[in-house]
């Protein structure tokens, strides 16, 4: 199948930002996640939990104080002595509950006056602690107010009388977040100990109409503070300082016990943060506020499978490019020849020209960007580095001619009339004739770059595109979707290829469809046209189109090399999917040349080592 | 909603005015109504602050009570027996109020019901020791008068009333000054309203409160089968609240009220309200469906055991209609009978295990049985308790009295069972068990039937299993020659035969060994156990240490360092207990001449252990180094170039 030298890179010092807030929308089944660095991500829970959008609207976290004008100006809310840390509206909009330090106030919206002030007990495990901060409140339609506080309590209050109804002590540390299901029959809270507790409204005895809130299930999927929780109809969602987004389906709500009922833990972004200059063997790493350029090392040695080869030259850190201002980097790209670097923030587009003289490297910024190049969602250089393709956030695709140190705007494909969706994935053919662009839902458009017109649109598919690439020579477009389907579409013929039809007819192996990270990169072997190389966070795969497809009875992943099996058996069990799970978590993998691969890994332990220490917990009753 | 936080509202009348009738809530208008100075009616709502400024109506006659229930307008009952609806009264406050009851007749108590959506008012009057009941029907405006006959006990005074209603009758319950509760059934639909009718009362519960108490007595019906009684159960005892099951004549629960009460008791929305000292005490209480299992064993002291089952329960095998007052011998026979019967019932119940509330029923049954055990020292349903413990659903915290009683009775078999089954025995109790296990005489042990599961018959196997290399294994590579403690070595060498003899024969009888093994298996925390261990007499400490040392030697006889048997103590348990005993009693043991040999042996044992562990440490360090080397091979650092072949 093939033997490769693999540059195994672990110096991409990427640490995801902690999750600050999650919000779930029931109508669209989408989840918005905000991180401490100010980015907002949108996950489509229907599309296999795929991260559809990343917004970096502003590099700072802004605190918005929303005060309905009417209340503010017509009648002042009674003045509160201390800060308000949490708010919750009664579903009917007549009352607001506000959590402060040491107490909860219930306001009547009409009169603007606090009708109740409910004092929260400061006691913590019998010891009077510091102030008790009410981190979260939830107002139910029956008038119950649920509060969570820094003393580890979950308390139920009657807002009509202002009295405490029930109190649960659930943690030795702060309870920081609460979210109630739409039906108000279940809610979830998250603690600073990394625990998530599920509470449910259950009948006191079987077939009794009287119901009470009962703490039902604890989950420990986090090592750090659970800063935020959300409650979808079928799952509990939590996120916090440890940067993982955890989606825990509620088994009793899941109708079919299939793979969708499995726990999802999303740690890495579903997009590429790395680009590669094959010719100069360079890697460009994208961070929130800077770019790093590294040159890979080399070896002259050879070896057999599994060997680590002695380095004749180690990898070099060539460049550290900091952005100006507080804005986060949205996307970045290095050209194949390594002479161009482009990146974009929310309001500015930057293009740099790089010059290499022996070991020295000089950087020159191309100034005077045209005003339409302001905010790009995706940047791509053509293979010969003469053209730059930019997908703007307005939906337009710009083609820019690069020559020497200057550039010239050639054309802009305007979005289809009636659509406003911006393209977030680009692919260009190696001959530079074809450009494919995909948004999150509107299908893939293929443009003819020579004639500067839309060539065709790939038939729409239900699930968003996670990666795509155009094969050299054949100009077949390979598209991976979030439901793990892979299609091959012939651009010249404007139809799916025979191989793609066969695959669809036979179906993918069930284990292939059950992977829970999307394919983020596709590439091709220059000498082996039948091979497609692709990877997700936990595996790297070469699909050999000349071999038969595996069915559900065949072993999809076989890590062991054939030893003394006869050739017949070997031929019978050989199938198209050659998978390696050696490198993980795998953020990027590409072919440098026909015998060399580069793999960028980011071990979880390295990320954890850079997080603040979690709350210390006593163990074994010591 | 019961809150322990604050009153939700508070209003007061002007100085000089006296509230003469409890305030009620008009559920239809959400207003409150109170009467002060007998004739002045006040009506207000939550928003009102000053009672002096709210609606006021002065009536022409004195009010006894205002009665309000959900779903209908409040009624005003005048002291002379007349009744008016609130609306009609407010329309003309000065209207003339007729007199219904005779002179010197005084209203004692009243209650308002809704029967088939029609309001029914009942009030009781008293005149010269005679009691009368008046039932006013509002749909037909009929007032019926009944004379209550007190039966044999003509002199008794009725202290308190309560009533519940079912389809045809109002069941009026009265607590008399003789301490008994009587029931009178009053028909809701009178047969002949014109005629003055008489009603007899029947004894419902005997001697629920002491006959001598004069104040603080009250009762209230909770549901068809349960009543709550406030008062002192015995003449000298403190006042308490008791809930009785009248169907089975059993005491459901009781709570002492040491600060005294004032004879006021209400039941509303599954909460009992009462005055306790200077505060209003609220006790949530929900009546469970009355069943025999729930009532089992909940008989109070003084009640004769035969009558705690009413004839309507068919399974019960007790002869019915037992008279009162047994002789002592007969009583003990009765107790035995009762224990037998309980055992039979428990066995029946356990046989159909699959009830959903199995846990609760078992818990309630044990609590009930123990309550009775405490009250009646001769009552001890041992077999029954053993069976219940073996259901695996009990724990110490569920029935702390169980072990306490077993300790008093020195029932080592039951204690052993508890130690094996309960996960949460406090250290003090474990230690109390240990004391009994060590001190109980061998002869009394012979009679017991303790589980011998954890004990292996050591005497038989001693010689077969005795191995030549015993010392070598014991010391695990540690050579005695290196031992710097030459003294003890010498001493040990002097009497090698003695030592062997001492170490190979078990110092305690097998039954005691089984009991001690139960202690070794129990969970504990050192901090809490140590202080209790200090109370054990020195000779018992020595005996236990000898036994532990013996177990240790047995352990070290085989290479896996385990004892034979089904569930033997582990080496760790043995070592921990040796350390604990020595920590707690070191000075005492050191001073005892007979413990000297044991101490020397133990010292040697510790020495050999230390050397074993130091050897283990060395091995561990070497392994760690090997692991590090291995890791370095696997860990390629931040960057490497590798060869990958895909097949």
């Amino acid at each position: 199948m093939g033997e490769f030298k693999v540059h195994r890179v672990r110096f991409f010092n990427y640490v995801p930002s902690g999750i600050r807030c999650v919000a779930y929308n029931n109508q669209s089944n989408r989840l918005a996640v905000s991180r401490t660095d100010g980015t907002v991500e949108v996950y489509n829970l229907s599309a296999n939990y795929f991260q559809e959008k990343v917004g970096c609207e502003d590099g700072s976290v802004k605190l918005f104080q929303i005060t309905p004008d009417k209340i503010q100006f017509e009648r002042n809310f009674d003045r509160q002595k201390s800060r308000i840390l949490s708010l919750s509206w009664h579903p009917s909009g007549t009352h607001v509950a506000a959590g402060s330090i040491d107490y909860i106030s219930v306001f009547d919206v009409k009169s603007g006056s606090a009708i109740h002030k409910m004092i929260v007990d400061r006691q913590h495990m019998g010891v009077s602690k510091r102030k008790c901060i009410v981190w979260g409140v939830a107002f139910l339609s029956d008038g119950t107010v649920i509060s969570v506080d820094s003393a580890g309590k979950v308390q139920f209050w009657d807002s009509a009388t202002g009295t405490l109804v029930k109190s649960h002590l659930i943690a030795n540390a702060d309870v920081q977040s609460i979210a109630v299901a739409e039906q108000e029959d279940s809610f979830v809270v998250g603690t600073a100990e990394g625990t998530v507790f599920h509470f449910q409204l259950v009948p006191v005895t079987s077939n009794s109409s009287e119901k009470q809130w009962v703490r039902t299930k604890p989950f420990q999927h986090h090592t750090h503070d659970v800063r935020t929780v959300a409650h979808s109809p079928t799952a509990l969602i939590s996120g916090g300082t440890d940067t993982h987004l955890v989606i825990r389906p509620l088994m009793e709500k899941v109708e079919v016990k299939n793979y969708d009922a499995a726990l999802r833990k999303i740690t890495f972004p579903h997009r590429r943060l790395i680009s590669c200059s094959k010719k100069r063997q360079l890697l460009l790493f994208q961070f929130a506020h800077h770019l790093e350029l590294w040159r890979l090392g080399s070896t002259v040695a050879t070896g057999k499978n599994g060997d680590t080869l002695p380095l004749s030259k180690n990898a070099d850190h060539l460049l550290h490019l900091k952005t100006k201002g507080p804005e986060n980097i949205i996307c970045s790209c290095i050209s194949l020849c390594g002479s161009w670097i482009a990146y974009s923030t929310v309001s500015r587009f930057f293009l740099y020209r790089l010059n290499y003289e022996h070991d020295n490297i000089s950087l020159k910024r191309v100034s005077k960007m045209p005003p339409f190049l302001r905010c790009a969602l995706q940047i791509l250089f053509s293979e010969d580095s003469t053209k730059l393709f930019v997908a703007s956030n307005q939906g337009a695709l710009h083609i820019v001619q690069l020559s020497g140190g200057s550039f010239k705007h050639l054309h802009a494909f305007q979005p289809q009339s009636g659509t406003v969706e911006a393209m977030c994935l680009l692919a260009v053919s190696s001959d530079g004739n074809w450009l494919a662009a995909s948004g999150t839902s509107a299908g893939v458009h293929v443009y003819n770059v020579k004639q500067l017109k839309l060539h065709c649109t790939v038939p729409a598919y239900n699930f968003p595109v996670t990666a795509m690439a155009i094969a050299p020579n054949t100009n077949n477009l390979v598209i991976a979707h979030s439901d793990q389907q892979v299609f091959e579409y012939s651009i010249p013929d404007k139809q799916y290829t025979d191989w793609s039809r066969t695959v669809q007819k036979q179906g993918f192996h069930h284990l292939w469809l059950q992977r829970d990270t999307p394919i983020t990169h596709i590439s091709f072997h220059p000498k082996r046209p039948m091979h497609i190389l692709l990877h997700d966070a936990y595996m790297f795969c070469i699909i050999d189109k000349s071999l038969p497809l595996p069915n559900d009875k065949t072993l999809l992943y076989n890590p062991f090399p054939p030893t003394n099996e006869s050739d017949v058996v070997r031929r019978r069990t050989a199938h198209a999917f050659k998978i390696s799970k050696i490198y993980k978590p795998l953020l990027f993998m590409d072919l440098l040349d026909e015998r060399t691969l580069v793999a960028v890994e980011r071990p979880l332990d390295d990320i954890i080592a850079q997080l603040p220490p979690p709350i210390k917990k006593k163990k074994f009753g010591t | 909603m019961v809150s322990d936080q604050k009153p939700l509202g508070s209003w007061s009348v002007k100085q000089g005015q006296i509230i003469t009738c409890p305030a009620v809530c008009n559920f239809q208008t959400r207003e409150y109504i109170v009467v002060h100075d007998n004739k002045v009616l006040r009506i207000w709502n939550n928003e009102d602050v000053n009672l002096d400024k709210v609606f006021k109506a002065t009536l022409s006659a004195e009010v006894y009570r205002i009665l309000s229930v959900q779903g209908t307008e409040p009624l005003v009952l005048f002291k002379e027996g007349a009744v008016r609806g609130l609306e009609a009264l407010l329309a003309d406050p000065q209207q003339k109020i007729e007199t219904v009851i005779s002179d010197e007749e005084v209203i004692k108590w009243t209650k308002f019901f809704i029967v088939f959506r029609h309001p029914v008012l009942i009030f009781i009057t008293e005149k010269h020791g005679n009691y009368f009941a008046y039932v006013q029907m509002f749909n037909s405006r009929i007032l019926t008068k009944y004379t209550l006959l007190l039966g044999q006990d003509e002199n008794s005074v009725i202290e308190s009333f309560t009533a519940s209603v079912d389809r045809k009758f109002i069941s009026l319950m009265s607590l008399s000054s003789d301490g008994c509760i009587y029931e009178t059934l009053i028909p809701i639909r009178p047969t002949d309203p014109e005629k003055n009718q008489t009603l007899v009362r029947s004894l419902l519960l005997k001697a629920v409160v002491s006959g001598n108490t004069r104040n603080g007595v009250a009762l209230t019906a909770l549901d068809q089968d349960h009543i709550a009684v406030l008062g002192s159960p015995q003449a000298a005892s403190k006042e308490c609240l008791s809930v009785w099951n009248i169907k089975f004549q059993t005491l459901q629960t009781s709570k002492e009220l040491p600060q005294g009460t004032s004879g006021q008791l209400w039941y509303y929305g599954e909460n009992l309200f009462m005055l306790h000292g200077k505060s209003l005490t609220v006790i949530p209480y929900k009546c469970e469906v009355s069943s025999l299992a729930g009532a089992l064993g909940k008989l109070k002291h003084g009640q004769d055991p035969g009558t705690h089952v009413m004839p309507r329960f068919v399974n019960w095998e007790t002869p019915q209609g037992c008279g009162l007052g047994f002789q002592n011998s007969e009583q003990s026979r009765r107790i035995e009978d009762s224990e037998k019967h309980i055992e039979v019932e428990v066995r029946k119940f356990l046989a159909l295990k699959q009830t959903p509330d199995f846990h609760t029923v078992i818990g309630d049954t044990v609590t009930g049985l123990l309550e009775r055990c405490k009250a009646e020292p001769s009552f001890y349903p041992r077999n029954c308790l053993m069976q219940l413990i073996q259901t695996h659903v009990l724990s110490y915290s569920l029935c702390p009295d169980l072990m306490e009683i077993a300790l008093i009775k020195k029932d080592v078999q039951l204690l052993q069972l508890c130690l094996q089954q309960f996960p949460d025995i406090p250290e003090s109790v474990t230690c109390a068990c240990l004391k009994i296990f060590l001190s109980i005489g061998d002869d009394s042990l012979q009679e017991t039937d303790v589980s011998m599961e954890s004990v292996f018959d050591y005497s038989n196997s001693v010689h077969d299993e005795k191995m030549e290399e015993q010392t070598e294994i014991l010391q695990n590579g540690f050579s005695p020659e290196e031992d710097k403690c030459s003294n003890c070595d010498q001493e040990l060498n002097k009497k090698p035969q003695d030592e062997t003899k001492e170490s190979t024969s078990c110092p305690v009888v097998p039954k005691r060994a089984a009991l001690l093994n139960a202690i070794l298996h129990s969970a504990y925390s050192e901090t809490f156990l140590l202080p209790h261990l200090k109370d054990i007499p020195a000779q018992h400490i020595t005996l236990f240490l000898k036994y532990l040392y013996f177990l240790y030697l047995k352990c070290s006889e085989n290479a896996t360092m385990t004892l034979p048997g089904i569930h033997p103590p582990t080496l760790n348990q043995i070592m921990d207990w040796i350390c604990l005993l020595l920590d707690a009693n070191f000075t005492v043991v050191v001073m005892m001449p007979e413990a000297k040999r044991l101490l020397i042996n133990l010292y040697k044992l510790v020495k050999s252990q230390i050397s074993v562990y130091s050897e283990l440490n060395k091995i561990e360090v070497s392994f760690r180094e090997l692991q590090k080397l291995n890791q370095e091979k696997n860990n390629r650092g931040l960057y490497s170039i590798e060869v990958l072949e895909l097949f």
Side-chain angles (χ1 to χ4, degrees), chain A residues 27-41:
Chain A
Q27 270 84 46
S28 61
N29 199 19
R30 279 177 170 80
L31 183 76
V33 176
S34 81
R35 294 189 183 263
T36 48
D37 63 357
T39 55
V40 177
E41 297 159 2

PDB file of all heavy atoms in Angstrom, chain A residues 27-41:
ATOM      1  N   GLN A  27     -35.586  25.300  18.143  1.00  0.00           N
ATOM      2  CA  GLN A  27     -36.166  25.304  16.800  1.00  0.00           C
ATOM      3  C   GLN A  27     -35.152  24.800  15.775  1.00  0.00           C
ATOM      4  O   GLN A  27     -35.454  23.987  14.922  1.00  0.00           O
ATOM      5  CB  GLN A  27     -36.624  26.715  16.423  1.00  0.00           C
ATOM      6  CG  GLN A  27     -38.057  27.000  16.820  1.00  0.00           C
ATOM      7  CD  GLN A  27     -38.137  27.445  18.272  1.00  0.00           C
ATOM      8  OE1 GLN A  27     -37.352  28.285  18.677  1.00  0.00           O
ATOM      9  NE2 GLN A  27     -39.038  26.871  19.034  1.00  0.00           N
ATOM     10  N   SER A  28     -33.918  25.309  15.866  1.00  0.00           N
ATOM     11  CA  SER A  28     -32.932  24.951  14.854  1.00  0.00           C
ATOM     12  C   SER A  28     -32.062  23.793  15.296  1.00  0.00           C
ATOM     13  O   SER A  28     -31.263  23.296  14.517  1.00  0.00           O
ATOM     14  CB  SER A  28     -32.058  26.160  14.556  1.00  0.00           C
ATOM     15  OG  SER A  28     -31.391  26.555  15.725  1.00  0.00           O
ATOM     16  N   ASN A  29     -32.219  23.354  16.553  1.00  0.00           N
ATOM     17  CA  ASN A  29     -31.361  22.320  17.133  1.00  0.00           C
ATOM     18  C   ASN A  29     -29.889  22.701  16.985  1.00  0.00           C
ATOM     19  O   ASN A  29     -29.055  21.890  16.625  1.00  0.00           O
ATOM     20  CB  ASN A  29     -31.639  20.954  16.515  1.00  0.00           C
ATOM     21  CG  ASN A  29     -31.126  19.817  17.378  1.00  0.00           C
ATOM     22  OD1 ASN A  29     -30.882  20.014  18.583  1.00  0.00           O
ATOM     23  ND2 ASN A  29     -30.936  18.654  16.804  1.00  0.00           N
ATOM     24  N   ARG A  30     -29.599  23.962  17.236  1.00  0.00           N
ATOM     25  CA  ARG A  30     -28.217  24.418  17.177  1.00  0.00           C
ATOM     26  C   ARG A  30     -27.772  24.907  18.539  1.00  0.00           C
ATOM     27  O   ARG A  30     -28.577  25.329  19.358  1.00  0.00           O
ATOM     28  CB  ARG A  30     -28.072  25.506  16.134  1.00  0.00           C
ATOM     29  CG  ARG A  30     -27.969  24.930  14.725  1.00  0.00           C
ATOM     30  CD  ARG A  30     -27.906  26.034  13.711  1.00  0.00           C
ATOM     31  NE  ARG A  30     -27.577  25.537  12.381  1.00  0.00           N
ATOM     32  CZ  ARG A  30     -28.444  24.964  11.552  1.00  0.00           C
ATOM     33  NH1 ARG A  30     -29.682  24.774  11.940  1.00  0.00           N
ATOM     34  NH2 ARG A  30     -28.070  24.561  10.350  1.00  0.00           N
ATOM     35  N   LEU A  31     -26.483  24.835  18.721  1.00  0.00           N
ATOM     36  CA  LEU A  31     -25.906  25.204  20.002  1.00  0.00           C
ATOM     37  C   LEU A  31     -24.858  26.286  19.766  1.00  0.00           C
ATOM     38  O   LEU A  31     -23.960  26.113  18.935  1.00  0.00           O
ATOM     39  CB  LEU A  31     -25.245  23.970  20.627  1.00  0.00           C
ATOM     40  CG  LEU A  31     -24.638  24.145  22.006  1.00  0.00           C
ATOM     41  CD1 LEU A  31     -25.747  24.178  23.043  1.00  0.00           C
ATOM     42  CD2 LEU A  31     -23.695  22.989  22.318  1.00  0.00           C
ATOM     43  N   ALA A  32     -24.979  27.397  20.478  1.00  0.00           N
ATOM     44  CA  ALA A  32     -23.969  28.447  20.385  1.00  0.00           C
ATOM     45  C   ALA A  32     -23.057  28.326  21.591  1.00  0.00           C
ATOM     46  O   ALA A  32     -23.518  28.144  22.711  1.00  0.00           O
ATOM     47  CB  ALA A  32     -24.630  29.816  20.368  1.00  0.00           C
ATOM     48  N   VAL A  33     -21.765  28.390  21.326  1.00  0.00           N
ATOM     49  CA  VAL A  33     -20.779  28.240  22.391  1.00  0.00           C
ATOM     50  C   VAL A  33     -19.884  29.473  22.359  1.00  0.00           C
ATOM     51  O   VAL A  33     -19.317  29.804  21.318  1.00  0.00           O
ATOM     52  CB  VAL A  33     -19.928  26.976  22.166  1.00  0.00           C
ATOM     53  CG1 VAL A  33     -18.843  26.875  23.219  1.00  0.00           C
ATOM     54  CG2 VAL A  33     -20.796  25.744  22.167  1.00  0.00           C
ATOM     55  N   SER A  34     -19.771  30.153  23.488  1.00  0.00           N
ATOM     56  CA  SER A  34     -18.835  31.273  23.509  1.00  0.00           C
ATOM     57  C   SER A  34     -17.658  30.899  24.383  1.00  0.00           C
ATOM     58  O   SER A  34     -17.800  30.186  25.378  1.00  0.00           O
ATOM     59  CB  SER A  34     -19.520  32.526  24.040  1.00  0.00           C
ATOM     60  OG  SER A  34     -19.553  32.506  25.434  1.00  0.00           O
ATOM     61  N   ARG A  35     -16.499  31.336  23.951  1.00  0.00           N
ATOM     62  CA  ARG A  35     -15.284  30.995  24.682  1.00  0.00           C
ATOM     63  C   ARG A  35     -14.706  32.231  25.333  1.00  0.00           C
ATOM     64  O   ARG A  35     -15.064  33.356  25.001  1.00  0.00           O
ATOM     65  CB  ARG A  35     -14.276  30.343  23.741  1.00  0.00           C
ATOM     66  CG  ARG A  35     -14.761  28.990  23.236  1.00  0.00           C
ATOM     67  CD  ARG A  35     -13.685  28.260  22.486  1.00  0.00           C
ATOM     68  NE  ARG A  35     -14.189  27.001  21.954  1.00  0.00           N
ATOM     69  CZ  ARG A  35     -14.029  25.819  22.570  1.00  0.00           C
ATOM     70  NH1 ARG A  35     -13.377  25.742  23.709  1.00  0.00           N
ATOM     71  NH2 ARG A  35     -14.517  24.730  22.033  1.00  0.00           N
ATOM     72  N   THR A  36     -13.748  32.000  26.219  1.00  0.00           N
ATOM     73  CA  THR A  36     -13.202  33.121  26.975  1.00  0.00           C
ATOM     74  C   THR A  36     -12.380  34.063  26.100  1.00  0.00           C
ATOM     75  O   THR A  36     -12.130  35.187  26.486  1.00  0.00           O
ATOM     76  CB  THR A  36     -12.319  32.618  28.135  1.00  0.00           C
ATOM     77  OG1 THR A  36     -11.442  31.637  27.610  1.00  0.00           O
ATOM     78  CG2 THR A  36     -13.164  32.008  29.220  1.00  0.00           C
ATOM     79  N   ASP A  37     -11.970  33.615  24.903  1.00  0.00           N
ATOM     80  CA  ASP A  37     -11.240  34.523  24.038  1.00  0.00           C
ATOM     81  C   ASP A  37     -12.187  35.344  23.162  1.00  0.00           C
ATOM     82  O   ASP A  37     -11.736  36.083  22.296  1.00  0.00           O
ATOM     83  CB  ASP A  37     -10.235  33.757  23.164  1.00  0.00           C
ATOM     84  CG  ASP A  37     -10.924  32.788  22.213  1.00  0.00           C
ATOM     85  OD1 ASP A  37     -12.167  32.680  22.275  1.00  0.00           O
ATOM     86  OD2 ASP A  37     -10.223  32.141  21.428  1.00  0.00           O
ATOM     87  N   GLY A  38     -13.489  35.209  23.352  1.00  0.00           N
ATOM     88  CA  GLY A  38     -14.420  36.044  22.620  1.00  0.00           C
ATOM     89  C   GLY A  38     -14.985  35.401  21.375  1.00  0.00           C
ATOM     90  O   GLY A  38     -15.810  36.004  20.698  1.00  0.00           O
ATOM     91  N   THR A  39     -14.547  34.200  21.050  1.00  0.00           N
ATOM     92  CA  THR A  39     -15.093  33.570  19.857  1.00  0.00           C
ATOM     93  C   THR A  39     -16.437  32.930  20.176  1.00  0.00           C
ATOM     94  O   THR A  39     -16.704  32.536  21.310  1.00  0.00           O
ATOM     95  CB  THR A  39     -14.161  32.481  19.310  1.00  0.00           C
ATOM     96  OG1 THR A  39     -13.912  31.555  20.362  1.00  0.00           O
ATOM     97  CG2 THR A  39     -12.864  33.061  18.816  1.00  0.00           C
ATOM     98  N   VAL A  40     -17.255  32.862  19.142  1.00  0.00           N
ATOM     99  CA  VAL A  40     -18.546  32.196  19.258  1.00  0.00           C
ATOM    100  C   VAL A  40     -18.581  31.098  18.215  1.00  0.00           C
ATOM    101  O   VAL A  40     -18.235  31.321  17.058  1.00  0.00           O
ATOM    102  CB  VAL A  40     -19.701  33.191  19.018  1.00  0.00           C
ATOM    103  CG1 VAL A  40     -21.031  32.465  19.075  1.00  0.00           C
ATOM    104  CG2 VAL A  40     -19.666  34.303  20.035  1.00  0.00           C
ATOM    105  N   GLU A  41     -18.931  29.898  18.619  1.00  0.00           N
ATOM    106  CA  GLU A  41     -19.024  28.792  17.687  1.00  0.00           C
ATOM    107  C   GLU A  41     -20.474  28.327  17.633  1.00  0.00           C
ATOM    108  O   GLU A  41     -21.159  28.365  18.640  1.00  0.00           O
ATOM    109  CB  GLU A  41     -18.139  27.621  18.145  1.00  0.00           C
ATOM    110  CG  GLU A  41     -16.669  27.976  18.168  1.00  0.00           C
ATOM    111  CD  GLU A  41     -15.865  27.052  19.064  1.00  0.00           C
ATOM    112  OE1 GLU A  41     -16.442  26.112  19.629  1.00  0.00           O
ATOM    113  OE2 GLU A  41     -14.657  27.294  19.195  1.00  0.00           O
TER     114      GLU A  41
END
